[in-house]
Amino acid sequence: MKTKNKQTKFPVARIKKIMQKDEEVGKVAQATPIVICMYALAKALELFLSMIVEEACNVTVHRGAKKVEAYHLKHAVETTEMFDFLKEIVESVPDP
Amino acid sequence: MSDREGHIGPGSSDDDLSLPKATVAKMINELLPSDVTCAKETRDLVIECCVEFIHLISSEANEICEQESKKTIAPEHIIGALKRLGFDSFTTEVEDVLKDHKQQQKDREKKADKIKDSGLTPEELQAKQEELFALSRAKFAQPQQQQQQLPQPQT
């Protein structure tokens, strides 16, 4: 399905800042060497994005649509165990 | 094209800390088949999900870190967190990234070692350097001779 060249990467410094927003984690991550640890998290995030987009897109195609709508994403979250932690986020999306 | 949404001034407030919209939009585009597009609303939702993912993994990694009585989150804690949270399938590629970075670091150290391994002591290296300086000083001091010293093209 994916034939496009994937070059874009997540900004590593931004990920670290987001991590540090959590007060508990913030204290520990101060000393985190940005190079190795953040790249690991950035890679995991890339894979996560890839997975969630794929799942949402499957719903889109399955319903014969050409645009990935918010409720496609919601359905993907509700039907994928891995995405349980996202249920609250998609809760407010109205069903068609 | 700026991807700053109404933030005037250098620093954006912490509450709006999120991933750059343009970057995420590009990535989503690269992942979708060519005949499918993504609604703006969906893209924003995806960004929220990504931020939530970061929080999820880092707080789990933080727990693992504390359980091991360590003070700093290590890459191994991130990997442990992924496994615990059901993202086992990610760990292979993440470990690859870590291996690559460690290898890069090794290569950098190797380059520094090259100087050490040249077989010459610092004094010998310094003596060589002085020699080279003396040579070039000599060249500058004798402009006429410099002309003759120009290498002749080989025919």
Side-chain angles (χ1 to χ4, degrees):
Chain A
M1 171 167 113
K2 296 153 209 149
T3 51
K4 295 181 191 166
N5 208 2
K6 281 175 272 182
Q7 304 254 331
T8 328
K9 300 278 174 198
F10 281 110
V12 175
R14 186 74 71 95
I15 294 177
K16 183 173 181 186
K17 278 200 190 145
I18 294 176
M19 254 181 96
Q20 291 178 320
K21 254 189 91 178
D22 182 337
E23 274 178 19
E24 274 286 314
V25 179
K27 287 180 211 145
V28 186
Q30 277 302 321
T32 305
I34 202 173
V35 183
I36 293 234
C37 209
M38 292 301 115
Y39 283 128
L41 194 46
K43 184 69 191 174
L45 188 57
E46 219 178 279
L47 297 168
F48 170 77
L49 178 75
S50 179
M51 188 161 266
I52 201 170
V53 170
E54 185 172 341
E55 292 297 325
C57 185
N58 285 343
V59 177
T60 309
V61 171
H62 187 73
R63 295 187 182 188
K66 287 293 177 185
K67 208 181 210 187
V68 184
E69 302 292 345
Y71 54 84
H72 298 161
L73 183 63
K74 180 180 186 181
H75 187 80
V77 165
E78 288 172 346
T79 53
T80 311
E81 207 181 306
M82 242 190 229
F83 299 151
D84 273 354
F85 69 102
L86 298 169
K87 285 209 168 128
E88 264 183 57
I89 291 184
V90 297
E91 224 171 29
S92 56
V93 176
D95 291 314
Chain B
M1 189 167 67
S2 163
D3 65 353
R4 268 192 243 147
E5 317 97 50
H7 288 301
I8 308 162
S12 46
S13 77
D14 255 1
D15 288 335
D16 295 341
L17 194 58
S18 170
L19 295 163
K21 283 190 180 182
T23 308
V24 178
K26 234 195 208 172
M27 292 178 84
I28 294 177
N29 227 318
E30 287 170 352
L31 290 162
L32 290 173
S34 41
D35 59 343
V36 179
T37 55
C38 186
K40 185 172 168 295
E41 193 190 12
T42 313
R43 183 203 61 202
D44 289 343
L45 209 53
V46 168
I47 291 179
E48 273 189 63
C49 293
C50 287
V51 173
E52 192 62 29
F53 179 78
I54 294 173
H55 285 308
L56 183 77
I57 301 297
S58 37
S59 88
E60 188 71 21
N62 186 40
E63 256 188 61
I64 297 178
C65 183
E66 284 180 354
Q67 284 167 10
E68 293 183 4
S69 312
K70 297 266 167 69
K71 285 191 183 164
T72 315
I73 293 182
E76 290 71 36
H77 301 147
I78 304 273
I79 298 212
L82 288 169
K83 288 191 177 155
R84 276 204 203 177
L85 295 163
F87 295 102
D88 224 339
S89 52
F90 292 3
T91 52
T92 317
E93 285 193 60
V94 174
E95 278 166 347
D96 280 346
V97 166
L98 292 174
K99 270 191 222 148
D100 278 346
H101 277 276
K102 287 195 181 144
Q103 186 60 47
Q104 273 181 33
Q105 254 185 337
K106 269 197 191 157
D107 289 343
R108 264 182 242 135
E109 284 161 22
K110 253 195 201 166
K111 272 192 182 169
D113 279 347
K114 242 188 175 178
I115 298 174
K116 279 198 247 158
D117 291 351
S118 64
L120 303 168
T121 64
E123 293 80 31
E124 285 173 324
L125 283 167
Q126 189 150 12
K128 279 218 152 190
Q129 193 179 45
E130 291 290 350
E131 249 183 68
L132 290 165
F133 281 160
L135 266 174
S136 56
R137 257 181 256 131
K139 277 198 188 152
F140 276 118
Q142 290 148 42
Q144 281 171 331
Q145 282 196 3
Q146 200 177 28
Q147 293 252 324
Q148 291 172 2
Q149 278 173 14
L150 279 173
Q152 300 297 319
Q154 306 243 329
T155 44

